[in-house]
Amino acid sequence: MIGNDIVDLNVAFVQSNWRRKRFLSKVFTEYEQQLIKSSANPDKTVWLLWSMKESAYKINVQQYQDVFFSPRKLQCKILSKTKGLVMIKDEMYLTESQINNDFICTIASLKKDVKKLNEAFELDDDSYAIQHKQSSVKLMVAVSKKWDLPLKDVRIKKNKIGIPKLFLNTKELPISFSITHHGSYGAYSIVC
Amino acid sequence: MTKEELIRSLKKIVKPYVQDEAAFESLSEETNFIDDLKINSANLVDIMLDVEDEFDIEIDNDAMEKMLSVQASIDIIAAKLNEK
């Protein structure tokens, strides 16, 4: 299983004011708040931790099929500039992030060295519907190429709790993947 | 406060964060913030904070955990208002 999350840093800057009262304490543990406070670039640290939490949560929800919103219960530990850990109850997730001035993209996995196909890309338009469509198409093209499947038969459908699944026509494909988009950026990650 | 009044206040709170206007127009108790309104999860935190300010209540972590739909939100707000 795999989980990913992308944050468009420019959009996050205008869309989310994490400096507002009580925001940090609702989302971050004491340890994480310390990391933000002592960071040379608190904006980047906030969104790095956020994308770590989101990507790990996306695996957890696939494992337990239970949707919840409790960001403080997803506890991060930063190991290096790009690597980290997230604990959710008794589960531990490993994260690896790509960080630049435009976006932060994190991929979470359950164990080391999961072989995967990843791509982060810029989207043409920042309207939600178009972002969503473009990101899905990118993923479907990658799957069709990788497993030599006719693109016109590859589909993505969400299950009843909102987890996306890949299908070849009506048959579900046993492919573990994660897809994300925010602002002008999207990304997918596929286990292969 | 009646249920209708609660929904009306909540609608005003979530409006700035909605990314699917059609789903917002047809908002009902079953509407889910993320799946239907496509609200960004970071903005869910803003909704929690706005709800706290608007109703002068505290949404603790346990309450927040399930506050993902209109129904769950009005149940939690009503319960917190009752405690006051």
Side-chain angles (χ1 to χ4, degrees), chain A residues 2 59 77 90 97 133 139 141 154 160 172 179 184 186:
Chain A
I2 200 158
I59 299 182
K77 198 166 161 64
D90 298 328
S97 306
K133 181 88 197 290
L139 171 81
V141 169
V154 177
K160 64 176 192 302
E172 190 178 338
I179 185 164
S184 303

Side-chain angles (χ1 to χ4, degrees), chain A residues 5-181:
Chain A
D5 186 64
I6 200 162
V7 177
D8 179 327
L9 292 171
N10 293 310
V11 170
F13 190 77
V14 289
Q15 207 176 56
S16 300
N17 174 20
W18 59 264
R19 289 179 171 86
R20 75 182 279 193
K21 231 177 165 178
R22 310 192 310 279
F23 189 101
L24 290 181
S25 63
K26 279 249 182 301
V27 174
F28 298 107
T29 63
E30 302 301 324
Y31 163 79
E32 293 159 358
Q33 292 180 53
Q34 271 310 317
L35 290 178
I36 295 163
K37 244 186 232 164
S38 58
S39 168
N41 189 333
D43 281 280
K44 268 193 182 166
T45 306
V46 163
W47 299 117
L48 170 63
L49 292 167
W50 181 273
S51 72
M52 287 169 65
K53 287 172 190 257
E54 279 277 321
S55 58
Y57 169 78
K58 281 187 175 177
I59 299 182
N60 189 270
V61 81
Q62 292 176 64
Q63 288 174 296
Y64 296 100
Q65 304 286 312
D66 179 33
V67 178
F68 61 93
F69 185 66
S70 192
R72 257 187 93 114
K73 280 195 189 157
L74 323 176
Q75 303 180 315
C76 297
K77 198 166 161 64
I78 292 197
L79 302 177
S80 71
K81 265 210 163 93
T82 55
K83 291 193 177 171
L85 298 175
V86 182
M87 298 290 306
I88 305 178
K89 290 166 196 157
D90 298 328
E91 297 281 356
M92 188 174 82
Y93 305 89
L94 312 175
T95 64
E96 184 149 16
S97 306
Q98 181 188 349
I99 306 166
N100 57 42
N101 289 329
D102 300 314
F103 64 80
I104 295 176
C105 184
T106 299
I107 300 168
S109 50
L110 283 162
K111 43 184 194 280
K112 258 188 181 168
D113 305 322
V114 175
K115 213 177 148 225
K116 47 197 181 288
L117 182 64
N118 310 312
E119 192 190 347
F121 37 84
E122 194 169 348
L123 302 165
D124 301 335
D125 190 292
D126 64 1
S127 82
Y128 186 93
I130 293 171
Q131 287 178 348
H132 189 76
K133 181 88 197 290
Q134 277 192 345
S135 309
S136 305
V137 169
K138 285 262 191 193
L139 171 81
M140 291 187 287
V141 169
V143 166
S144 135
K145 271 196 191 143
K146 175 80 192 165
W147 282 280
D148 199 19
L149 303 167
L151 178 60
K152 65 174 179 44
D153 297 333
V154 177
R155 312 187 200 299
I156 302 174
K157 269 199 310 212
K158 283 190 174 173
N159 76 1
K160 64 176 192 302
I161 62 162
I163 301 171
K165 302 277 182 187
L166 275 163
F167 289 81
L168 189 65
N169 291 312
T170 53
K171 193 172 159 275
E172 190 178 338
L173 294 167
I175 297 172
S176 183
F177 70 99
S178 185
I179 185 164
T180 175
H181 61 85

Side-chain angles (χ1 to χ4, degrees), chain A residues 15-17 20-23 25-27 47 50 54 66-73 89 126 128 131 158 160-162 182, chain B residues 17 19-20 34-35 38 40-50 52-53 57-62 64-68:
Chain A
Q15 207 176 56
S16 300
N17 174 20
R20 75 182 279 193
K21 231 177 165 178
R22 310 192 310 279
F23 189 101
S25 63
K26 279 249 182 301
V27 174
W47 299 117
W50 181 273
E54 279 277 321
D66 179 33
V67 178
F68 61 93
F69 185 66
S70 192
R72 257 187 93 114
K73 280 195 189 157
K89 290 166 196 157
D126 64 1
Y128 186 93
Q131 287 178 348
K158 283 190 174 173
K160 64 176 192 302
I161 62 162
H182 180 233
Chain B
Y17 310 114
Q19 298 195 87
D20 187 323
I34 295 177
D35 294 339
K38 316 291 184 206
N40 175 310
S41 48
N43 286 143
L44 271 187
V45 182
D46 290 301
I47 291 177
M48 307 295 164
L49 296 173
D50 293 345
E52 289 188 338
D53 292 342
I57 53 176
E58 196 204 330
I59 309 286
D60 52 62
N61 286 320
D62 288 340
M64 182 160 115
E65 195 160 330
K66 292 294 166 195
M67 238 174 100
L68 292 163

